[in-house]
Amino acid sequence: MKINRRNFIQKSKQAGIATAGLFAFPVFNSKEETFTTVNDNINFIGPKKGYSPQIGTLVSMMNWMRDTILNPVRRLSTKELDYLHDENSNSIGAMLWHLAATERYYQLNTFEDMPWGSWSETEKSKWDIPSRLGDNGRAKIKGNNLKFYLDILAEVRNNTLTEFAKRDDEWLLKTDENWGWGPTNNYCKWFHVCEHESNHNGQIKYIKSRIHS
């Protein structure tokens, strides 16, 4: 049986597009470098409008993790945010500020080429305590309501998203040969920001469970 090559290719393309739409995966056009955008539902991981395909996928993961972090802290009082379970623990409020500080560090490194382990004096004065936590954090990060921490998190995240929109997948895959734990690309650095929130999510939930126990 002779197959019409043009019809076969056209039907294959249509089938591929239909299947990709069903599973909400990106569809690439080799000529135009375009792609479909997955459902904007937070539970759909994949490309997002306004970003290159891989950056959009990263954004969807970061959005999901941020929602997971914020759910257990909603409606917490200042007293609950300041609660210290023991002399070596961190408060929930301090950890929220710590997450913003960590993200700010990675902004400076990947967007502004700040070398590993260095803060300017201006940045250090604002972010060093929530970044390091410890005794200084326990002594100085307290007395703030939830809005204070949410505003800091939102301000930093909005800057991240603005900068992501200016960049492409080639930038995301760029490798830093001098990174502290070894050669690392920007994708790994920003995945670590997401994974870092996951780590503290467990701590926040544990501390919350101990407040009224």
Side-chain angles (χ1 to χ4, degrees):
M1 177 180 174
K2 187 176 180 180
I3 298 175
N4 185 302
R5 182 173 180 273
R6 179 175 296 177
N7 288 342
F8 176 78
I9 292 173
Q10 184 63 33
K11 288 179 181 179
S12 297
K13 283 183 178 179
Q14 291 172 351
I17 291 171
T19 304
L22 178 64
F23 291 100
F25 289 154
V27 178
F28 297 94
N29 181 309
S30 59
K31 217 172 191 181
E32 300 175 4
E33 295 299 320
T34 58
F35 59 93
T36 61
T37 301
V38 300
N39 191 313
D40 279 338
N41 184 307
I42 196 167
N43 295 320
F44 282 79
I45 300 298
K48 296 296 180 186
K49 185 176 181 180
Y51 305 97
S52 64
Q54 291 294 333
I55 291 179
T57 300
L58 173 63
V59 167
S60 69
M61 290 188 283
M62 291 174 67
N63 287 345
W64 194 94
M65 194 64 246
R66 177 56 56 85
D67 188 65
T68 301
I69 279 285
L70 296 183
N71 275 333
V73 306
R74 299 187 194 283
R75 295 182 295 278
L76 288 185
S77 66
T78 298
K79 183 178 180 180
E80 290 170 322
L81 291 166
D82 287 348
Y83 171 78
L84 291 170
H85 185 57
D86 57 50
E87 61 182 11
N88 295 312
S89 67
N90 297 302
S91 69
I92 292 175
M95 282 191 284
L96 292 174
W97 201 345
H98 173 73
L99 296 178
T102 300
E103 185 166 343
R104 178 58 183 153
Y105 176 84
Y106 280 84
Q107 288 177 354
L108 292 168
N109 174 258
T110 61
F111 302 150
E112 302 180 29
D113 297 321
M114 184 191 80
W116 166 279
S118 63
W119 295 97
S120 70
E121 287 305 313
T122 300
E123 296 288 351
K124 189 172 182 179
S125 65
K126 182 175 182 180
W127 299 107
D128 199 52
I129 291 175
S131 177
R132 295 177 182 274
L133 296 178
D135 290 338
N136 251 349
R138 282 183 281 275
K140 297 181 179 179
I141 302 178
K142 56 186 177 181
N144 306 303
N145 62 22
L146 180 60
K147 184 178 184 301
F148 173 86
Y149 298 111
L150 296 184
D151 285 349
I152 292 173
L153 285 164
E155 179 183 1
V156 173
R157 178 55 54 87
N158 288 339
N159 184 40
T160 296
L161 298 179
T162 297
E163 293 299 323
F164 276 168
K166 299 175 184 177
R167 289 163 172 81
D168 58 20
D169 290 347
E170 184 178 356
W171 169 86
L172 192 64
L173 298 177
K174 181 180 177 182
T175 300
D176 179 352
E177 299 291 342
N178 300 311
W179 192 242
W181 60 53
T184 304
N185 65 12
N186 287 330
Y187 209 152
C188 182
K189 291 178 183 180
W190 280 98
F191 178 76
H192 172 62
V193 173
C194 186
E195 176 270 334
H196 181 249
E197 293 201 0
S198 176
N199 178 50
H200 286 290
N201 178 51
Q203 294 177 349
I204 287 171
K205 288 177 177 175
Y206 174 76
I207 292 173
K208 182 182 176 183
S209 74
R210 309 310 300 168
I211 291 175
H212 301 296
S213 63

